[in-house]
Amino acid sequence: MSLNGKVILITGGSRGIGKEIAIRAAQDGAKVAILAKTAEPHPKVGTNSTGHASLDLLSAPISLYHFLSLPGTIFSAAREIEQAGGKALPIQCDIRDEDQVKSAIQKVAQKFGASAISLTDTEHTSVKKYDLMHQINARGTWMISKYCIPHLKKSSNPHILNMSSPLSMESKWFSGNVAYTMAKYGMSMCVLGMSEELKKYKIAVNALWPMTIIETAAMQAIGGQDQIPKRKPAIMADAAHWILTQDSTKHTGQFFMDELLLRRIGVTDFEKYNTIPGTKLEDIGPDFLLDDNDVKEVLRLRQIEEDREYRVENIHHKDHGVKEIGTATSISSNDTDNDDVDLEIEKTILPLHARILGLVSVFIIQNAISGIPNSLGVYQTYYLQTGFKTTNADTISWIGTLPLVGQFLFSTPAGILVDTVGPRFTVFAGTLICAVSMLLASFATQIWHLILTQGLLFSIGAGFIFMNAITLPGQYFPRHAGLATGIAVGGGATGGAIYSEITQKLIDRLGGYQWPLRITAIIVVVFGMTFGLFMKRGLAKPNPTGRRPSSASQGLMSNFYDLSALRKWAFWLILLECFFASIACFGPYMYLQTAAEEVGVSSTKSVYLLIILALSSGVGPVVFGYISDYIGPINSSFIASLLNGIFTLALWLPTKSFSVLCVYAFFFGFVCSTFLVTYGLKLASLFGVERIVGMSGLILFSCGIGNIFGVPVEGKIYQTLDKRETFHYSIIFMGANSFVALVFVGIQWWWESRRTQDFRLFRSV
C-alpha cells in the first residue's frame, strides 16, 4: 500500500522525526500538512562558551526545553516535502490553543479535501514547565485527535499515530522525571483509549517509539554530541511509513518500537541509520521509557542475525580449561517458553578456499551417494517388469522407500557420531555402510534380501551422509545459507541423473541387477573416501562442556529431538507441510519410468525421464535456495507447492505422450524438493537458530514417515485401483498431497503476517 494522495497532518513537523516522517510520506506522493509554532528561524538564545545552547544534561541523556533555539521552520519543512514529491501545507499553530487547532484542521480539510521535553526531577520542574508539557503532549494530542476524527471518519484507511512510549508502571521511568513521564503517558493513554473507541469507525490509533537515541535538531543544538553514536530520524520515518500503509482495521491499539518493527518485517540493514558509520549496535545508547519485553525481543532478533553471520566476538570460555575465544550470551524469548537460553556463538574458523572446497566436496559426495536413492526407479522398474514381476508392487516399493526414508530418519541420530568424531569420519562410516549394502544386495535372491540390504542398510549410511549435507553448508556460508544448502541438496538430485543413465545401461548390457550394484559400490567407495577428506567443521573448537560441538547443532543444541516444539502450533504447520510434501515429492522418482513404459515407451528411452527429473531436481533447490534469501522461505515454499500440484495433475495425469512426460519431469523436478531447503530457514526465522537442530530432527522424522506412508500407498493404489495398467489414481493421490502441503504453507503465511502485523501480499516472508 502507498501513501500516494493520502492526507497526513503532522504536529511538530518543522524539524526532527516529524519532518523525516513527512518527507518519507511525500516520497509516496502524500499531501502533508505541517502544524508547528515555528514560522521564522529562532534567534540564538542561552548559548554557552562553546556557542551551543546551554542545557542541563545531569538528569537524563536529553533535556529539551520549549524555548530552545532550533533550526527549521514550517516553511523550510514544506519546501523539503515538495522537493521529495509531495504536496505541503505549512500552518502556524500552537496546539495548546483550541481555536488555532480548529482553524488549522479546517484549513487542511479545505486544502486537501497532527513538543516539548523536560527531563528534570519534581523539585526542579517549574509549574510552568509542567503545564507546558501536559498542554502540548497529553492535551495537544487529545485535542488534535478530537477535531480530526470527523474528517478521519470519511477517509479510507485512516490512521492516528502518536510518537509516544509503551505504558509501564515501573518506578524507574518516573523517578527523576515525573512530570515528563506523566505527560508522555498521557499521549499513550490516548492510544489505549481511542483505539478501542474508534475501532467501530475503522480508525487505527497506534504509537511509535524509538529503541535508541535519535539525532534530532535538539540533539544537534545541545553541542558536543557529534561523536555520540545515534540513529538518524530515517529509522522512525521508515517504521511510521509501514504503520501508515497498513490496513487500519487490522493494526490498532499497538505500541510499536522502531527497530523491533523493522526487524519483524524483514529489515536487516541498520547500518544505514547510523549517524557514525560502522557503529556497533551495542554502542548506540537506548532511549527512554522502553518496554522491557520489547527490548528483550530486539536483542533476541539481533542475536539471531548475528548468529547467522557468526560475527559475535569475544566468546569467554571460562570453564574446563578452554582458552578465551569469545563471549557467551544469554537471552530470553517467549519462543523458548520464557526460559533463558545460553547461546554459544562460535566463529567460522575456515578460510574461504577451505569452505569452497568443503561445499564442493559435500556436493560431490551427495552426488555419488545420495544420488543413488534418486535413481532407484530404474531398479524398481526392472524388479516390477523382469526380476520379480510376480511380486506385488507395494512390496517391491519398500526397496526404494527405505533409502528415501532412512536419509531423513537416520540423519539426526547420526549427529551423535558427528559430535564424537566429526563430519569427516561420519562420511567415511556412511560411505562404507552404503558400499557394503550394495555388495550384499548384489547376492540377493529373494525380494526380502533386497529390502534389508539395498533398502534398510543403505538407508542408514545415506542418513550419515545427508546429516552433513544439511548442516555444513550453512556453517561454511552463513550469509547465504539458503543458496549453499540448495547446492548441497541439489548434488543428490544430479547424482540421480548420472546413476539413472549408468544403471540402465549396465542392466541392459549385463542382463541383471547384480553387477550394476557391485560397480555402484566401487564408485561409492572411491568418491566417498576421497572427498570425505575435505569435509571439516565450519565452526570453532570445543565448547565449555568439554564436548566437541555438533556439526548438526552448530554448538547450540544437545537434544536431537526438541519435543517442546510440539507445543508450538507454528512448528506444526511446518512439520505437516513437510509431511505432505514428502508424500507428493518422491512418488515420481519411483514410478515415472514405469508409467512411461505402461504407455509403450521403451526402457532405453524411459530412463531419460529419471535423468531429466534428477537434473532439474539438482538445479531447482539451488534456485529456490537463492531466491529464498531474498523473497523469504515461506514465499518460496508457496510457489513451489502450488506449481508442484499443478504440474502433476495438469501434465502427468492426462498425457500418454513421452514429450509431455519429459516436460513434466523437468518442471516437477525443479520445484519438488524446495521444502527441504526452506524448512530450516523458517525455523530460524520463527524460533531462533538455537532451536533449529532439535526441531529439524522432528521435521526430518516427519519426512521419513511421509515416505514410509506415501510410496507404499502409491504402490498399493497402482496394484489395486489402477490394476497395474495405468497410474491414474496414483497420480491424483500425489497431486492432492501437494495441494494439502500448499494449504499449510498458506497458513504459515497468514501466521507470520499476523505475527509481524504485515499483511502485504508481495513481501519477503
Side-chain angles (χ1 to χ4, degrees):
M1 185 182 295
S2 170
L3 295 177
N4 184 35
K6 296 290 185 181
V7 178
I8 298 177
L9 186 150
I10 300 177
T11 61
S14 59
R15 61 180 68 91
I17 294 172
K19 187 182 76 172
E20 200 70 29
I21 293 173
I23 292 173
R24 180 63 185 87
Q27 291 171 357
D28 278 11
K31 302 171 183 177
V32 184
I34 297 292
L35 273 63
K37 287 179 62 181
T38 311
E40 296 180 1
H42 283 286
K44 286 287 182 179
V45 297
T47 58
N48 57 25
S49 59
T50 65
H52 295 288
S54 176
L55 296 172
D56 174 17
L57 299 179
L58 297 178
S59 57
I62 306 174
S63 289
L64 171 59
Y65 297 98
H66 180 64
F67 56 81
L68 180 61
S69 173
L70 298 173
T73 68
I74 55 175
F75 301 110
S76 63
R79 284 194 296 272
E80 293 187 56
I81 290 168
E82 293 187 344
Q83 288 170 1
K87 294 182 179 180
L89 177 60
I91 302 175
Q92 186 176 17
C93 178
D94 183 346
I95 63 171
R96 296 171 294 175
D97 189 304
E98 182 178 7
D99 291 335
Q100 288 190 38
V101 169
K102 292 167 66 176
S103 174
I105 293 174
Q106 188 61 35
K107 289 178 183 177
V108 175
Q110 290 174 352
K111 175 74 173 179
F112 291 145
S115 62
I117 305 173
S118 176
L119 299 181
T120 52
D121 60 31
T122 303
E123 183 180 359
H124 295 95
T125 301
S126 68
V127 174
K128 181 179 180 180
K129 289 178 185 175
Y130 178 93
D131 289 341
L132 173 65
M133 286 187 288
H134 283 263
Q135 287 169 354
I136 290 179
N137 286 293
R139 184 175 181 272
T141 296
W142 180 86
M143 187 159 56
I144 288 287
S145 301
K146 171 182 172 63
Y147 290 111
C148 283
I149 288 171
H151 302 283
L152 291 171
K153 287 180 180 179
K154 303 173 186 176
S155 303
S156 62
N157 202 44
H159 284 264
I160 296 173
L161 180 61
N162 292 344
M163 299 297 113
S164 63
S165 64
L167 288 164
S168 172
M169 292 297 106
E170 293 188 60
S171 59
K172 64 180 179 180
W173 298 131
F174 292 87
S175 177
N177 35 259
V178 175
Y180 173 71
T181 302
M182 289 173 63
K184 213 63 187 173
Y185 278 9
M187 296 177 67
S188 300
M189 286 189 281
C190 285
V191 172
L192 199 62
M194 290 182 185
S195 61
E196 188 64 30
E197 186 178 299
L198 301 178
K199 190 179 292 183
K200 58 187 176 184
Y201 302 116
K202 300 182 180 180
I203 300 174
V205 186
N206 296 293
L208 176 63
W209 195 245
M211 167 77 180
T212 59
I213 298 173
I214 303 295
E215 182 178 59
T216 62
M219 291 290 292
Q220 294 169 353
I222 290 171
Q225 305 291 306
D226 291 345
Q227 298 307 311
I228 297 177
K230 299 178 289 295
R231 278 180 171 160
K232 302 172 185 176
I235 189 172
M236 289 287 283
D238 286 349
H241 180 270
W242 183 89
I243 296 169
L244 296 174
T245 55
Q246 302 311 298
D247 187 339
S248 62
T249 64
K250 296 179 180 178
H251 306 272
T252 188
Q254 299 187 51
F255 294 86
F256 294 103
M257 185 185 290
D258 58 353
E259 182 179 342
L260 178 57
L261 171 60
L262 294 176
R263 286 190 181 278
R264 281 178 167 170
I265 63 175
V267 176
T268 56
D269 178 16
F270 287 86
E271 168 66 23
K272 63 185 178 182
Y273 299 123
N274 293 340
T275 56
I276 302 175
T279 301
K280 294 181 179 179
L281 290 172
E282 59 267 26
D283 292 337
I284 304 174
D287 202 354
F288 189 58
L289 300 177
L290 298 176
D291 179 81
D292 287 346
N293 290 329
D294 283 351
V295 172
K296 288 179 181 179
E297 180 66 3
V298 168
L299 294 177
R300 186 185 80 85
L301 294 176
R302 285 182 181 179
Q303 190 71 66
I304 289 174
E305 186 63 29
E306 290 172 351
D307 293 352
R308 283 179 182 149
E309 301 184 1
Y310 300 94
R311 287 181 175 179
V312 176
E313 298 177 355
N314 303 319
I315 299 179
H316 294 293
H317 287 175
K318 299 180 179 178
D319 300 324
H320 301 278
V322 180
K323 72 176 184 178
E324 181 177 306
I325 61 172
T327 301
T329 306
S330 179
I331 60 174
S332 177
S333 162
N334 291 335
D335 287 332
T336 53
D337 301 322
N338 295 321
D339 292 327
D340 285 345
V341 181
D342 290 325
L343 297 185
E344 187 184 304
I345 310 304
E346 301 173 281
K347 299 172 68 175
T348 345
I349 59 172
L350 295 179
L352 180 61
H353 73 274
R355 288 184 281 140
I356 293 175
L357 183 57
L359 182 59
V360 170
S361 298
V362 172
F363 175 84
I364 291 175
I365 291 174
Q366 274 286 97
N367 197 294
I369 298 177
S370 296
I372 293 174
N374 294 328
S375 67
L376 287 177
V378 177
Y379 285 104
Q380 181 138 321
T381 299
Y382 178 81
Y383 297 149
L384 281 169
Q385 298 184 348
T386 305
F388 300 94
K389 59 184 178 181
T390 59
T391 305
N392 286 342
D394 52 322
T395 301
I396 293 174
S397 70
W398 283 103
I399 300 172
T401 299
L402 288 175
L404 293 174
V405 170
Q407 68 179 352
F408 297 124
L409 294 186
F410 294 111
S411 61
T412 305
I416 298 173
L417 189 59
V418 177
D419 266 353
T420 306
V421 298
R424 179 183 298 167
F425 290 101
T426 304
V427 169
F428 290 163
T431 297
L432 291 176
I433 293 172
C434 289
V436 169
S437 74
M438 304 295 277
L439 286 174
L440 293 176
S442 71
F443 295 100
T445 57
Q446 302 292 324
I447 197 68
W448 67 268
H449 297 164
L450 291 171
I451 292 174
L452 289 178
T453 55
Q454 192 178 7
L456 180 61
L457 185 59
F458 183 89
S459 71
I460 297 172
F464 285 18
I465 304 299
F466 191 67
M467 161 56 67
N468 292 283
I470 61 174
T471 58
L472 289 179
Q475 295 182 20
Y476 294 151
F477 299 97
R479 278 179 130 187
H480 304 286
L483 176 60
T485 305
I487 291 172
V489 173
T494 54
I498 296 170
Y499 275 117
S500 295
E501 174 71 5
I502 292 174
T503 303
Q504 187 64 56
K505 289 187 179 299
L506 288 174
I507 289 175
D508 291 342
R509 291 183 181 182
L510 301 176
Y513 59 89
Q514 291 85 356
W515 272 104
L517 287 170
R518 293 164 191 160
I519 293 171
T520 301
I522 295 172
I523 295 172
V524 165
V525 170
V526 170
F527 281 93
M529 302 302 283
T530 301
F531 287 94
L533 292 170
F534 302 106
M535 296 186 53
K536 302 177 181 179
R537 300 179 191 276
L539 301 180
K541 295 182 180 179
N543 58 34
T545 66
R547 282 179 78 206
R548 295 180 61 134
S550 168
S551 164
S553 64
Q554 301 175 0
L556 302 176
M557 200 76 181
S558 59
N559 295 324
F560 297 113
Y561 295 102
D562 183 359
L563 297 180
S564 67
L566 298 176
R567 295 197 296 268
K568 308 287 186 181
W569 76 277
F571 173 78
W572 275 99
L573 295 176
I574 301 173
L575 183 141
L576 290 171
E577 174 212 345
C578 291
F579 173 78
F580 288 104
S582 295
I583 296 174
C585 178
F586 296 106
Y589 285 94
M590 297 295 105
Y591 297 115
L592 186 59
Q593 183 181 10
T594 305
E597 294 182 18
E598 293 288 357
V599 295
V601 180
S602 67
S603 61
T604 304
K605 195 174 179 181
S606 64
V607 73
Y608 286 103
L609 291 173
L610 295 184
I611 294 172
I612 293 170
L613 179 62
L615 286 174
S616 62
S617 296
V619 176
V622 178
V623 173
F624 276 97
Y626 177 77
I627 66 175
S628 291
D629 289 332
Y630 293 91
I631 70 171
I634 295 179
N635 285 335
S636 295
S637 296
F638 189 90
I639 294 170
S641 296
L642 177 63
L643 295 178
N644 201 341
I646 291 174
F647 292 149
T648 298
L649 297 180
L651 292 179
W652 188 9
L653 181 61
T655 190
K656 294 185 178 180
S657 166
F658 178 68
S659 299
V660 175
L661 288 176
C662 288
V663 172
Y664 166 73
F666 175 80
F667 285 113
F668 177 84
F670 195 83
V671 300
C672 69
S673 57
T674 299
F675 70 98
L676 293 176
V677 178
T678 58
Y679 83 82
L681 303 177
K682 296 176 190 176
L683 294 179
S685 174
L686 290 172
F687 304 104
V689 293
E690 68 273 15
R691 303 190 67 183
I692 288 179
V693 176
M695 290 184 171
S696 290
L698 295 173
I699 295 292
L700 295 176
F701 185 83
S702 76
C703 291
I705 298 301
N707 283 323
I708 289 177
F709 175 77
V711 177
V713 167
E714 289 154 6
K716 190 69 174 179
I717 294 173
Y718 173 60
Q719 179 77 30
T720 56
L721 297 180
D722 291 319
K723 308 298 183 184
R724 293 184 73 152
E725 296 175 355
T726 69
F727 275 86
H728 184 84
Y729 292 106
S730 304
I731 295 169
I732 292 175
F733 178 76
M734 295 177 209
N737 278 282
S738 293
F739 285 110
V740 174
L742 178 66
V743 170
F744 287 106
V745 178
I747 300 174
Q748 291 169 31
W749 187 94
W750 173 84
W751 187 91
E752 180 66 6
S753 299
R754 189 166 174 263
R755 186 177 76 92
T756 61
Q757 296 300 303
D758 186 355
F759 288 86
R760 290 175 298 162
L761 183 60
F762 300 104
R763 72 185 198 281
S764 176
V765 59

